Amino acid sequence: MKPTGPIPPDFVRREGELMIGGRTAGEWTELAGDTPLFVYDFAIVRDRITRFRAAFPGVSLHYAVKANPHPPLVRAIVSLVDGLDVASAGEARIALEAGMDARHISFAGPGKRDRELEMAIDAGITLNLESAGEAERALAIGRGMGRTPRLAVRVNPDFELKGSGMKMGGGAKPFGIDADRVAEVVRRISDAGAIYRGLHIFAGSQALDAAAIIEAQRSTLALAARISSDSGVAPPHVNLGGGFGIRYFAPDAELDEKSVGNALASELARRPAVLADTEFTIELGRWLVGEAGVYLTRIVDRKISHGKTFLVVDGGLHHQLAASGNFGTVVKRNYPISLSKISNEASSCTVSVVGCLCTPIDRLGDQVELPDAQVGDMVVLFLAGAYGASASPQAFLAHPAAVELSIDGTEIL
Ligand SMILES: *Cc1c(COP(=O)(O)O)cnc(C)c1O
């Protein structure tokens, strides 16, 4: 048997049935008309937003759409956050259609095509510039359209967020402009008459260590101040990044966001004069939505091979790649997993839960302890609210895409 991650405490059982947004897996399957499916419980997202507001008064909150772009979910989030961060023109359209004011949308991401720059400038979205070349293209496109672009500069910081699952800063990176070259680009876009929106400094993702985030935020503020003094232009806005992680695996401890908030408040209280009028933002994806989602998949076959039991389900890595350990993880570990229904007398056994794809990497639970399960039972994979459906190779093997449903209270969004 191998360990599995902790089930988020937001999920409880009633008479042996796991409740997901007030409904059982069977009720969800009936609603969806098929399995597998993702369910996102907006009440959990709202709870995380409330926690953020309590811990970070006076700091703006942006949602990073790439974590979960399901349109009904994004629509629900729009009214509770201060802005959306997008990483493509497609996500920018989702953000606009969800009702977010273009002035509160920022568009980061390497390799923006001319037509994406054009779409963003036309809509009034802020571009977080990833290179000096992109700055020139945005200025030229703005001139050609007779529009003044709103431009911020993404900085490739000269430090990293320690212990983060995905490193996005420090050293040679495709993201942002190297810190020591940013002041020059800020002067260039200001002199060219663009609306300068400030700096974006994202040092990493999926960090659970409050001390590491505190240290990165302190370095981020110092870097923003240094760049702003060097360029002689005060930034209206500084996006401090995010990187708040969630507990996927057994030994993880929950991130203590309150101590991060306290430390940031004291850093901000003594920030240098050049940042006195700056608005600060934290951008979060998985911390807001990751724990709100479950992936439900039905057992199609149960077999024994060389003494080991396999539960073969109708889902797989084509919907939930991350749970198979093939999305930005080095060591494969088990996400929290359970059966939707557990009877009192159920004995448990060690099984591997494998997907329906013809590849050995399609393994959603490796030698996990589960109550005795039969064909037809539903398996629940937790932490499926971020980087699930949209971050998985849904076209692989030509199985249908998973159904996605979002719920808020009793209302399907
Ligand atoms: C992916 C990404 C995020 C969101 O990261 P999470 O780990 O989901 O919070 C935020 N900002 C940028 C620039 C990103 O690329």
mmCIF file of all heavy atoms in Angstrom, residues 21-52:
data_model
loop_
_atom_site.group_PDB
_atom_site.id
_atom_site.type_symbol
_atom_site.label_atom_id
_atom_site.label_comp_id
_atom_site.label_asym_id
_atom_site.label_seq_id
_atom_site.Cartn_x
_atom_site.Cartn_y
_atom_site.Cartn_z
ATOM 1 N N GLY A 21 -21.173 19.239 -3.086
ATOM 2 C CA GLY A 21 -22.109 20.350 -3.294
ATOM 3 C C GLY A 21 -23.536 19.941 -2.979
ATOM 4 O O GLY A 21 -24.465 20.319 -3.687
ATOM 5 N N GLY A 22 -23.715 19.170 -1.912
ATOM 6 C CA GLY A 22 -25.061 18.808 -1.469
ATOM 7 C C GLY A 22 -25.687 17.641 -2.216
ATOM 8 O O GLY A 22 -26.811 17.250 -1.925
ATOM 9 N N ARG A 23 -24.992 17.063 -3.189
ATOM 10 C CA ARG A 23 -25.547 15.939 -3.949
ATOM 11 C C ARG A 23 -24.608 14.736 -3.873
ATOM 12 O O ARG A 23 -23.407 14.889 -3.661
ATOM 13 C CB ARG A 23 -25.736 16.318 -5.417
ATOM 14 C CG ARG A 23 -26.867 17.299 -5.688
ATOM 15 C CD ARG A 23 -26.861 17.616 -7.194
ATOM 16 N NE ARG A 23 -28.086 18.243 -7.652
ATOM 17 C CZ ARG A 23 -28.307 19.559 -7.628
ATOM 18 N NH1 ARG A 23 -27.402 20.377 -7.141
ATOM 19 N NH2 ARG A 23 -29.446 20.055 -8.076
ATOM 20 N N THR A 24 -25.166 13.574 -4.156
ATOM 21 C CA THR A 24 -24.348 12.360 -4.194
ATOM 22 C C THR A 24 -23.775 12.183 -5.599
ATOM 23 O O THR A 24 -24.250 12.791 -6.563
ATOM 24 C CB THR A 24 -25.206 11.124 -3.865
ATOM 25 O OG1 THR A 24 -26.183 10.975 -4.900
ATOM 26 C CG2 THR A 24 -25.894 11.258 -2.517
ATOM 27 N N ALA A 25 -22.803 11.306 -5.697
ATOM 28 C CA ALA A 25 -22.196 11.032 -7.007
ATOM 29 C C ALA A 25 -23.248 10.517 -7.986
ATOM 30 O O ALA A 25 -23.231 10.855 -9.170
ATOM 31 C CB ALA A 25 -21.064 10.024 -6.846
ATOM 32 N N GLY A 26 -24.184 9.692 -7.466
ATOM 33 C CA GLY A 26 -25.239 9.158 -8.324
ATOM 34 C C GLY A 26 -26.111 10.271 -8.890
ATOM 35 O O GLY A 26 -26.462 10.265 -10.076
ATOM 36 N N GLU A 27 -26.446 11.235 -8.040
ATOM 37 C CA GLU A 27 -27.260 12.366 -8.515
ATOM 38 C C GLU A 27 -26.502 13.188 -9.554
ATOM 39 O O GLU A 27 -27.071 13.644 -10.547
ATOM 40 C CB GLU A 27 -27.684 13.231 -7.324
ATOM 41 C CG GLU A 27 -28.737 12.558 -6.462
ATOM 42 C CD GLU A 27 -28.977 13.257 -5.121
ATOM 43 O OE1 GLU A 27 -28.020 13.796 -4.517
ATOM 44 O OE2 GLU A 27 -30.119 13.247 -4.667
ATOM 45 N N TRP A 28 -25.216 13.352 -9.326
ATOM 46 C CA TRP A 28 -24.412 14.104 -10.304
ATOM 47 C C TRP A 28 -24.342 13.383 -11.642
ATOM 48 O O TRP A 28 -24.438 13.987 -12.705
ATOM 49 C CB TRP A 28 -22.987 14.338 -9.767
ATOM 50 C CG TRP A 28 -22.935 15.476 -8.796
ATOM 51 C CD1 TRP A 28 -22.642 15.415 -7.464
ATOM 52 C CD2 TRP A 28 -23.204 16.846 -9.081
ATOM 53 N NE1 TRP A 28 -22.720 16.661 -6.912
ATOM 54 C CE2 TRP A 28 -23.065 17.558 -7.875
ATOM 55 C CE3 TRP A 28 -23.575 17.546 -10.236
ATOM 56 C CZ2 TRP A 28 -23.263 18.942 -7.786
ATOM 57 C CZ3 TRP A 28 -23.769 18.915 -10.155
ATOM 58 C CH2 TRP A 28 -23.617 19.600 -8.949
ATOM 59 N N THR A 29 -24.173 12.065 -11.572
ATOM 60 C CA THR A 29 -24.072 11.295 -12.814
ATOM 61 C C THR A 29 -25.365 11.396 -13.609
ATOM 62 O O THR A 29 -25.354 11.538 -14.834
ATOM 63 C CB THR A 29 -23.793 9.820 -12.484
ATOM 64 O OG1 THR A 29 -22.723 9.775 -11.563
ATOM 65 C CG2 THR A 29 -23.421 9.040 -13.712
ATOM 66 N N GLU A 30 -26.485 11.352 -12.876
ATOM 67 C CA GLU A 30 -27.777 11.463 -13.540
ATOM 68 C C GLU A 30 -27.909 12.828 -14.221
ATOM 69 O O GLU A 30 -28.331 12.929 -15.368
ATOM 70 C CB GLU A 30 -28.874 11.302 -12.501
ATOM 71 C CG GLU A 30 -30.131 10.675 -13.048
ATOM 72 C CD GLU A 30 -30.987 10.201 -11.885
ATOM 73 O OE1 GLU A 30 -30.561 9.248 -11.185
ATOM 74 O OE2 GLU A 30 -32.028 10.804 -11.652
ATOM 75 N N LEU A 31 -27.497 13.863 -13.505
ATOM 76 C CA LEU A 31 -27.559 15.221 -14.056
ATOM 77 C C LEU A 31 -26.685 15.357 -15.297
ATOM 78 O O LEU A 31 -27.065 15.965 -16.286
ATOM 79 C CB LEU A 31 -27.028 16.204 -13.007
ATOM 80 C CG LEU A 31 -28.045 17.032 -12.260
ATOM 81 C CD1 LEU A 31 -27.358 17.745 -11.104
ATOM 82 C CD2 LEU A 31 -28.684 18.045 -13.194
ATOM 83 N N ALA A 32 -25.485 14.785 -15.220
ATOM 84 C CA ALA A 32 -24.529 14.920 -16.325
ATOM 85 C C ALA A 32 -24.923 14.025 -17.491
ATOM 86 O O ALA A 32 -24.565 14.293 -18.638
ATOM 87 C CB ALA A 32 -23.128 14.555 -15.840
ATOM 88 N N GLY A 33 -25.631 12.961 -17.212
ATOM 89 C CA GLY A 33 -26.028 12.027 -18.263
ATOM 90 C C GLY A 33 -24.944 11.040 -18.624
ATOM 91 O O GLY A 33 -25.158 10.157 -19.451
ATOM 92 N N ASP A 34 -23.764 11.177 -18.023
ATOM 93 C CA ASP A 34 -22.675 10.265 -18.375
ATOM 94 C C ASP A 34 -21.542 10.406 -17.355
ATOM 95 O O ASP A 34 -21.496 11.362 -16.585
ATOM 96 C CB ASP A 34 -22.149 10.607 -19.782
ATOM 97 C CG ASP A 34 -21.423 9.423 -20.430
ATOM 98 O OD1 ASP A 34 -21.360 8.347 -19.812
ATOM 99 O OD2 ASP A 34 -20.919 9.593 -21.548
ATOM 100 N N THR A 35 -20.659 9.451 -17.370
ATOM 101 C CA THR A 35 -19.401 9.563 -16.632
ATOM 102 C C THR A 35 -18.297 9.453 -17.676
ATOM 103 O O THR A 35 -18.547 8.887 -18.752
ATOM 104 C CB THR A 35 -19.252 8.414 -15.611
ATOM 105 O OG1 THR A 35 -19.428 7.166 -16.286
ATOM 106 C CG2 THR A 35 -20.255 8.537 -14.497
ATOM 107 N N PRO A 36 -17.105 9.944 -17.392
ATOM 108 C CA PRO A 36 -16.650 10.654 -16.193
ATOM 109 C C PRO A 36 -17.101 12.118 -16.218
ATOM 110 O O PRO A 36 -17.471 12.643 -17.262
ATOM 111 C CB PRO A 36 -15.123 10.569 -16.287
ATOM 112 C CG PRO A 36 -14.811 9.694 -17.451
ATOM 113 C CD PRO A 36 -16.016 9.701 -18.331
ATOM 114 N N LEU A 37 -17.021 12.734 -15.052
ATOM 115 C CA LEU A 37 -17.354 14.151 -14.994
ATOM 116 C C LEU A 37 -16.584 14.865 -13.894
ATOM 117 O O LEU A 37 -16.107 14.231 -12.950
ATOM 118 C CB LEU A 37 -18.855 14.350 -14.786
ATOM 119 C CG LEU A 37 -19.445 13.954 -13.446
ATOM 120 C CD1 LEU A 37 -20.660 14.812 -13.127
ATOM 121 C CD2 LEU A 37 -19.883 12.505 -13.511
ATOM 122 N N PHE A 38 -16.443 16.165 -14.098
ATOM 123 C CA PHE A 38 -15.873 17.038 -13.077
ATOM 124 C C PHE A 38 -17.012 17.832 -12.444
ATOM 125 O O PHE A 38 -17.905 18.303 -13.160
ATOM 126 C CB PHE A 38 -14.915 18.069 -13.695
ATOM 127 C CG PHE A 38 -13.603 17.505 -14.148
ATOM 128 C CD1 PHE A 38 -13.446 17.007 -15.434
ATOM 129 C CD2 PHE A 38 -12.499 17.506 -13.291
ATOM 130 C CE1 PHE A 38 -12.234 16.506 -15.863
ATOM 131 C CE2 PHE A 38 -11.269 17.007 -13.716
ATOM 132 C CZ PHE A 38 -11.129 16.504 -15.007
ATOM 133 N N VAL A 39 -16.975 17.969 -11.121
ATOM 134 C CA VAL A 39 -17.914 18.861 -10.438
ATOM 135 C C VAL A 39 -17.102 19.884 -9.654
ATOM 136 O O VAL A 39 -16.158 19.519 -8.931
ATOM 137 C CB VAL A 39 -18.836 18.080 -9.470
ATOM 138 C CG1 VAL A 39 -19.802 19.043 -8.776
ATOM 139 C CG2 VAL A 39 -19.601 16.998 -10.206
ATOM 140 N N TYR A 40 -17.450 21.152 -9.827
ATOM 141 C CA TYR A 40 -16.781 22.238 -9.104
ATOM 142 C C TYR A 40 -17.782 22.879 -8.158
ATOM 143 O O TYR A 40 -18.839 23.350 -8.590
ATOM 144 C CB TYR A 40 -16.255 23.297 -10.084
ATOM 145 C CG TYR A 40 -15.489 22.711 -11.249
ATOM 146 C CD1 TYR A 40 -15.896 22.948 -12.563
ATOM 147 C CD2 TYR A 40 -14.359 21.909 -11.044
ATOM 148 C CE1 TYR A 40 -15.203 22.414 -13.641
ATOM 149 C CE2 TYR A 40 -13.673 21.363 -12.113
ATOM 150 C CZ TYR A 40 -14.098 21.618 -13.417
ATOM 151 O OH TYR A 40 -13.421 21.075 -14.479
ATOM 152 N N ASP A 41 -17.458 22.885 -6.868
ATOM 153 C CA ASP A 41 -18.358 23.432 -5.855
ATOM 154 C C ASP A 41 -17.943 24.868 -5.534
ATOM 155 O O ASP A 41 -16.941 25.100 -4.848
ATOM 156 C CB ASP A 41 -18.303 22.547 -4.604
ATOM 157 C CG ASP A 41 -19.259 23.024 -3.522
ATOM 158 O OD1 ASP A 41 -19.911 24.081 -3.702
ATOM 159 O OD2 ASP A 41 -19.353 22.340 -2.484
ATOM 160 N N PHE A 42 -18.724 25.819 -6.025
ATOM 161 C CA PHE A 42 -18.331 27.219 -5.869
ATOM 162 C C PHE A 42 -18.315 27.672 -4.410
ATOM 163 O O PHE A 42 -17.592 28.606 -4.064
ATOM 164 C CB PHE A 42 -19.241 28.135 -6.705
ATOM 165 C CG PHE A 42 -18.757 29.549 -6.701
ATOM 166 C CD1 PHE A 42 -17.571 29.882 -7.339
ATOM 167 C CD2 PHE A 42 -19.442 30.538 -6.023
ATOM 168 C CE1 PHE A 42 -17.074 31.174 -7.296
ATOM 169 C CE2 PHE A 42 -18.955 31.837 -5.982
ATOM 170 C CZ PHE A 42 -17.777 32.154 -6.630
ATOM 171 N N ALA A 43 -19.083 26.991 -3.558
ATOM 172 C CA ALA A 43 -19.071 27.371 -2.138
ATOM 173 C C ALA A 43 -17.647 27.265 -1.576
ATOM 174 O O ALA A 43 -17.243 28.065 -0.731
ATOM 175 C CB ALA A 43 -20.026 26.481 -1.352
ATOM 176 N N ILE A 44 -16.902 26.290 -2.065
ATOM 177 C CA ILE A 44 -15.517 26.120 -1.579
ATOM 178 C C ILE A 44 -14.633 27.246 -2.104
ATOM 179 O O ILE A 44 -13.792 27.785 -1.388
ATOM 180 C CB ILE A 44 -14.987 24.723 -1.981
ATOM 181 C CG1 ILE A 44 -15.854 23.636 -1.313
ATOM 182 C CG2 ILE A 44 -13.514 24.568 -1.611
ATOM 183 C CD1 ILE A 44 -15.519 22.210 -1.737
ATOM 184 N N VAL A 45 -14.851 27.642 -3.360
ATOM 185 C CA VAL A 45 -14.084 28.765 -3.923
ATOM 186 C C VAL A 45 -14.390 30.036 -3.131
ATOM 187 O O VAL A 45 -13.478 30.792 -2.759
ATOM 188 C CB VAL A 45 -14.445 28.985 -5.411
ATOM 189 C CG1 VAL A 45 -13.649 30.149 -5.985
ATOM 190 C CG2 VAL A 45 -14.222 27.707 -6.223
ATOM 191 N N ARG A 46 -15.676 30.239 -2.826
ATOM 192 C CA ARG A 46 -16.052 31.444 -2.083
ATOM 193 C C ARG A 46 -15.371 31.462 -0.713
ATOM 194 O O ARG A 46 -14.894 32.493 -0.259
ATOM 195 C CB ARG A 46 -17.576 31.498 -1.926
ATOM 196 C CG ARG A 46 -18.030 32.818 -1.314
ATOM 197 C CD ARG A 46 -19.521 32.845 -0.999
ATOM 198 N NE ARG A 46 -20.339 32.885 -2.195
ATOM 199 C CZ ARG A 46 -21.097 31.871 -2.630
ATOM 200 N NH1 ARG A 46 -21.134 30.742 -1.958
ATOM 201 N NH2 ARG A 46 -21.813 31.990 -3.711
ATOM 202 N N ASP A 47 -15.303 30.285 -0.093
ATOM 203 C CA ASP A 47 -14.638 30.185 1.205
ATOM 204 C C ASP A 47 -13.164 30.582 1.101
ATOM 205 O O ASP A 47 -12.636 31.296 1.955
ATOM 206 C CB ASP A 47 -14.764 28.751 1.741
ATOM 207 C CG ASP A 47 -13.903 28.542 2.972
ATOM 208 O OD1 ASP A 47 -14.336 28.985 4.049
ATOM 209 O OD2 ASP A 47 -12.793 27.983 2.846
ATOM 210 N N ARG A 48 -12.487 30.148 0.036
ATOM 211 C CA ARG A 48 -11.063 30.489 -0.111
ATOM 212 C C ARG A 48 -10.896 31.988 -0.353
ATOM 213 O O ARG A 48 -9.948 32.606 0.152
ATOM 214 C CB ARG A 48 -10.428 29.707 -1.268
ATOM 215 C CG ARG A 48 -10.492 28.191 -1.113
ATOM 216 C CD ARG A 48 -9.877 27.703 0.196
ATOM 217 N NE ARG A 48 -9.858 26.236 0.247
ATOM 218 C CZ ARG A 48 -10.814 25.487 0.805
ATOM 219 N NH1 ARG A 48 -11.858 26.051 1.396
ATOM 220 N NH2 ARG A 48 -10.718 24.169 0.793
ATOM 221 N N ILE A 49 -11.819 32.570 -1.120
ATOM 222 C CA ILE A 49 -11.736 34.012 -1.377
ATOM 223 C C ILE A 49 -11.935 34.781 -0.063
ATOM 224 O O ILE A 49 -11.220 35.743 0.225
ATOM 225 C CB ILE A 49 -12.766 34.446 -2.453
ATOM 226 C CG1 ILE A 49 -12.395 33.808 -3.803
ATOM 227 C CG2 ILE A 49 -12.836 35.965 -2.578
ATOM 228 C CD1 ILE A 49 -13.407 34.005 -4.919
ATOM 229 N N THR A 50 -12.882 34.319 0.749
ATOM 230 C CA THR A 50 -13.129 34.949 2.052
ATOM 231 C C THR A 50 -11.875 34.855 2.932
ATOM 232 O O THR A 50 -11.496 35.813 3.597
ATOM 233 C CB THR A 50 -14.319 34.253 2.753
ATOM 234 O OG1 THR A 50 -15.420 34.297 1.863
ATOM 235 C CG2 THR A 50 -14.676 34.930 4.062
ATOM 236 N N ARG A 51 -11.246 33.684 2.901
ATOM 237 C CA ARG A 51 -10.004 33.515 3.688
ATOM 238 C C ARG A 51 -8.927 34.470 3.209
ATOM 239 O O ARG A 51 -8.179 35.051 3.998
ATOM 240 C CB ARG A 51 -9.511 32.069 3.563
ATOM 241 C CG ARG A 51 -10.025 31.202 4.681
ATOM 242 C CD ARG A 51 -9.808 29.737 4.424
ATOM 243 N NE ARG A 51 -8.414 29.355 4.256
ATOM 244 C CZ ARG A 51 -8.024 28.106 4.030
ATOM 245 N NH1 ARG A 51 -8.912 27.133 3.953
ATOM 246 N NH2 ARG A 51 -6.745 27.824 3.878
ATOM 247 N N PHE A 52 -8.821 34.620 1.881
ATOM 248 C CA PHE A 52 -7.815 35.539 1.333
ATOM 249 C C PHE A 52 -8.089 36.959 1.813
ATOM 250 O O PHE A 52 -7.183 37.660 2.277
ATOM 251 C CB PHE A 52 -7.807 35.503 -0.205
ATOM 252 C CG PHE A 52 -6.808 36.466 -0.786
ATOM 253 C CD1 PHE A 52 -5.498 36.082 -1.014
ATOM 254 C CD2 PHE A 52 -7.172 37.785 -1.055
ATOM 255 C CE1 PHE A 52 -4.562 36.984 -1.503
ATOM 256 C CE2 PHE A 52 -6.245 38.697 -1.553
ATOM 257 C CZ PHE A 52 -4.936 38.291 -1.776
#
